[in-house]
Amino acid sequence: MVDTAHRNTDGTGVEGVAGGVGVTALLVAAARALETHRPDSLARDVYAEHFVRAAPASADWPVHPREVPGGEANPLWGRFARYFGLRTRVLDDFLLRSVRVGGARQVVLVGAGLDARAFRLDWPPGCVVFEIDREEVLAFKHRVLGGLPATPKAARVPVPMDLRADWADALPGVGFDPAAPSVWLVEGLLFYLPPAAETYLIDTVEGLSAGGSALAFEVKLEKDLLEYRDSPLYTATRDQIGIDLLDLFDLAPRPDSAGRLTDRGWSTSVHTPFDFTRLHGRGPLPEPNDALAGNRWVFADKPRPAGTGIEG
């Protein structure tokens, strides 16, 4: 993983989310908090606002729609936050469908950040949620959740690893079984990785996935992201909270990770976020100079060997 945050020095983990890519986890948490408080909410995350308030970098950000200057017309806390709310709902549905219908009981959150799905989703019995992220990010999350009445609804296994390290070898050591079906989520991560690192990550997930496994991830398809530097979404993010996403994204041409999985026998589907806006009746729709135009959500399933059933 691209690591632009400072190393943690005090055991609280605050520095792990204080700058660079780490602070984008707080941006997503703030968006989830806003979505939680909307009357037409698509997803609820009661823990999100506590992460936002606990970090000095985000302590004064809005966590309720009434706190947003300009309301829904605000490009950052209106449209962009709606995007993250929609993404949360769509990926929640993917994970729960994969364990309830597909029968997998291992869930791996790669670059988990401040994801609280182990606590807020209704997992079937026997589910284990593995959360892979840097030690300082997980330390911050543990500190915040430790001060709340938060009880996980599945077995939760934090895996404190930098994704540049050998996290694949670490997973079996904490109980992950590569021979059993698994569900993988790579949410809001691949934008920041060099193309070779994205390919390595996808290949690693593919190699650890037994038949019956599923994977969801997010990519951007623009040939030149800098064409959107002056888009309302990017300028509002820079001006209002000082995050220049284009300075954090890797701007090299992206690999065709969905096609790579298809070539290896996975069944894949690629969607725009706007497909789900239309499905749910709320969320962002296309607009001129749209920084979301190239965003794609990819869903992939690895077939089971012939003659095998769903373990449950």
Side-chain angles (χ1 to χ4, degrees):
M1 179 177 181
V2 175
D3 186 359
T4 56
H6 296 293
R7 301 298 296 177
N8 179 51
T9 58
D10 62 2
T12 67
V14 171
E15 290 185 7
V17 292
V21 174
V23 80
T24 64
L26 294 168
L27 168 59
V28 177
R32 286 176 173 159
L34 290 167
E35 185 68 24
T36 298
H37 291 296
R38 287 192 173 102
D40 60 348
S41 173
L42 286 171
R44 287 182 50 78
D45 183 348
V46 299
Y47 308 102
E49 65 185 83
H50 297 281
F51 296 131
V52 177
R53 291 289 179 252
S58 57
D60 61 349
W61 293 358
V63 294
H64 194 289
R66 65 170 175 262
E67 300 169 356
V68 175
E72 288 296 302
N74 187 305
L76 170 57
W77 300 122
R79 187 171 187 264
F80 204 15
R82 280 280 192 179
Y83 170 80
F84 289 124
L86 177 67
R87 187 180 77 178
T88 298
R89 169 60 181 274
V90 170
L91 296 179
D92 284 355
D93 290 348
F94 159 79
L95 291 171
L96 291 176
R97 182 172 60 251
S98 296
V99 296
R100 291 173 178 170
V101 178
R105 290 296 179 267
Q106 301 180 122
V107 179
V108 187
L109 309 177
V110 183
L114 303 179
D115 189 311
R117 288 183 170 97
F119 295 85
R120 62 181 185 78
L121 296 186
D122 292 324
W123 301 101
C127 280
V128 182
V129 179
F130 299 88
E131 298 183 5
I132 307 173
D133 213 320
R134 300 191 320 273
E135 181 178 3
E136 56 266 35
V137 174
L138 294 176
F140 173 74
K141 177 155 57 171
H142 297 166
R143 181 175 68 83
V144 174
L145 292 173
L148 302 173
T151 303
K153 298 180 180 180
R156 177 173 174 258
V157 182
V159 186
M161 296 282 293
D162 191 310
L163 289 175
R164 298 172 300 182
D166 196 358
W167 56 271
D169 282 349
L171 274 177
V174 294
F176 177 83
D177 181 4
S182 49
V183 185
W184 301 79
L185 178 59
V186 187
E187 181 180 15
L189 172 64
L190 298 182
F191 307 157
Y192 307 103
L193 300 183
E198 175 179 332
T199 297
Y200 174 78
L201 189 152
I202 295 295
D203 286 352
T204 301
V205 170
E206 202 281 328
L208 289 170
S209 297
S213 295
L215 164 65
F217 59 95
E218 183 181 24
V219 295
K220 290 183 81 68
L221 300 184
E222 291 100 341
K223 292 183 179 179
D224 183 4
L225 284 170
L226 294 179
E227 290 184 1
Y228 297 93
R229 175 165 287 282
D230 295 327
S231 70
L233 188 150
Y234 288 150
T235 56
T237 304
R238 287 196 301 269
D239 295 344
Q240 294 185 43
I241 59 175
I243 299 177
D244 190 333
L245 290 171
L246 291 176
D247 279 351
L248 298 176
F249 293 161
D250 190 286
L251 302 181
R254 307 311 303 175
D256 181 7
S257 294
R260 192 174 183 86
L261 288 170
T262 300
D263 291 343
R264 296 185 177 191
W266 290 61
S267 173
T268 61
S269 61
V270 181
H271 299 269
T272 73
F274 312 126
D275 295 336
F276 293 97
T277 294
R278 297 180 181 104
L279 175 67
H280 290 287
R282 47 199 184 276
L285 287 168
E287 65 178 26
N289 192 21
D290 192 352
L292 300 178
N295 287 42
R296 297 292 184 273
W297 297 343
V298 181
F299 304 90
D301 295 279
K302 189 172 186 177
R304 295 174 181 271
T308 61
I310 295 177
E311 298 176 2

